Amino acid sequence: MRSSGWYLTEDVGDFLVRAGGFLRGRAAEHVMQLTWAERVRVRGAGAFGRAPVFGVLEEEGQVSGTFYHLPPRALGLSPLTPAQAESLAVRLSELGHSPASAGADQDTAAAFAEAWQRHTGVTARLRDVRVRLYRLGTLTPPDPRPEGRARVLGEGDLGQAAFWCGEFAKSVGEDVTVDAESWASTRYADKRYTLWETPDGTPVSIAGMNPLIGGQIQVDVVYTPAHLRGHGYAAAVSAEVTRAALAAGAREVVLFADRSNPTSNALYQRLGYRRLSDWSGYDFASGE
């Protein structure tokens, strides 16, 4: 290890050598750190726009915090104390970095936003959408489950996967184009998707899962069109994807849910997911 303080690098391999063990040691709370580092490692530094920046906080010879930033995406922070968040705000402001937003568990996000506003003069605005991180306890599939079956999407189903992910993106307010042409450059391209189909083969709900990273799989993208909700389709397809994650060797399975949606939160808890932490995001804008 180098001397104490924040070490910054654009080399994801360097970042993982320094911080990989720390991140995998508490994989659930570091899910976003592990996920984006793996995406950059697999797809290359130029796959998501401008060069990424990764950071490792080393204190007394030990890693105690990390961040990643893939402009124009949010600055992603591991859990930090207020003092650690303050030190990061100081370091980034001194180096001239200007993230448009930051996201983390709500205590870390709030501490960094306050420090960033104080050191840079920007206005930090709490985002309306706030999410809750869940970790699987014991999977409890729905009983009874709706009529129909699960079908895993393959390479020949790219158009269908892109359509469903595009609908999901619109439903959560993501400003992104998801179609067959843009597919490879989106965060949706590295997932495995499962559709729930009615007995006549009509697709009614989708769920996806990220690759196995650090012994953990994140269930990501669960969507049912509004007019098809209330029939148990989301519960059925989420249970199928969770079962597939366990079968793939995941020691932990995690997912995020919108805290303002009581229906989805109750659904995941019925399936056996337990609340781990609440997350928030802040947008930064010039005080002018």
Side-chain angles (χ1 to χ4, degrees):
M1 287 290 176
R2 301 189 180 185
S3 59
S4 295
W6 284 99
Y7 171 76
L8 275 60
T9 180
E10 294 182 0
D11 184 342
V12 67
D14 183 20
F15 172 70
L16 289 172
V17 166
R18 290 173 174 270
F22 169 77
L23 297 174
R24 291 188 295 271
R26 293 181 294 172
E29 60 191 57
H30 295 138
V31 56
M32 299 308 296
Q33 315 281 312
L34 288 164
T35 297
W36 279 105
E38 180 67 5
R39 284 179 179 149
V40 173
R41 187 190 70 80
V42 171
R43 299 200 212 176
F48 300 99
R50 304 197 325 253
V53 179
F54 299 93
V56 181
L57 177 60
E58 300 168 351
E59 297 177 310
E60 298 181 355
Q62 300 294 323
V63 175
S64 56
T66 66
F67 78 84
Y68 66 91
H69 188 209
L70 285 72
R73 293 171 176 80
L75 178 73
L77 311 170
S78 72
L80 301 174
T81 66
Q84 291 170 338
E86 172 89 12
S87 70
L88 178 58
V90 170
R91 182 69 188 281
L92 292 180
S93 63
E94 288 177 344
L95 293 173
H97 289 265
S98 55
S101 58
D105 69 275
Q106 63 181 9
D107 290 342
T108 297
F112 180 82
E114 189 278 329
W116 189 248
Q117 182 168 286
R118 182 157 34 82
H119 285 285
T120 65
V122 303
T123 299
R125 297 188 177 92
L126 180 64
R127 289 182 173 177
D128 292 335
V129 176
R130 282 162 262 178
V131 297
R132 177 161 292 161
L133 177 62
Y134 286 93
R135 178 168 54 195
L136 182 67
T138 300
L139 175 62
T140 306
D143 184 19
R145 70 178 194 171
E147 291 186 350
R149 67 184 184 94
R151 180 170 74 86
V152 176
L153 296 184
E155 293 183 3
D157 298 304
L158 174 58
Q160 194 161 36
F163 169 78
W164 280 86
C165 290
E167 294 300 295
F168 168 81
K170 286 188 286 187
S171 75
V172 298
E174 282 190 30
D175 184 16
V176 62
T177 299
V178 186
D179 54 28
E181 193 169 307
S182 64
W183 181 255
S185 65
T186 70
R187 73 179 183 88
Y188 298 100
D190 56 2
K191 307 179 193 299
R192 175 181 137 175
Y193 295 97
T194 299
L195 283 177
W196 189 265
E197 298 179 333
T198 58
D200 65 359
T202 301
V204 292
S205 189
I206 193 170
M209 69 180 195
N210 287 343
L212 180 67
I213 305 170
Q216 175 175 265
I217 287 178
Q218 178 189 356
V219 174
D220 185 27
V221 177
V222 178
Y223 175 71
T224 306
H227 69 284
L228 294 172
R229 293 170 190 169
H231 300 285
Y233 300 139
V237 75
S238 296
E240 287 298 319
V241 169
T242 301
R243 185 183 290 113
L246 294 171
R251 296 189 301 273
E252 292 187 336
V253 185
V254 298
L255 57 79
F256 285 97
D258 183 347
R259 280 153 54 190
S260 68
N261 187 333
T263 301
S264 62
N265 283 266
L267 181 158
Y268 297 132
Q269 291 177 64
R270 289 196 302 273
L271 292 177
Y273 285 90
R274 301 292 177 256
R275 175 187 174 276
L276 186 60
S277 59
D278 290 342
W279 287 45
S280 300
Y282 287 82
D283 293 317
F284 303 131
S286 169
E288 299 176 2

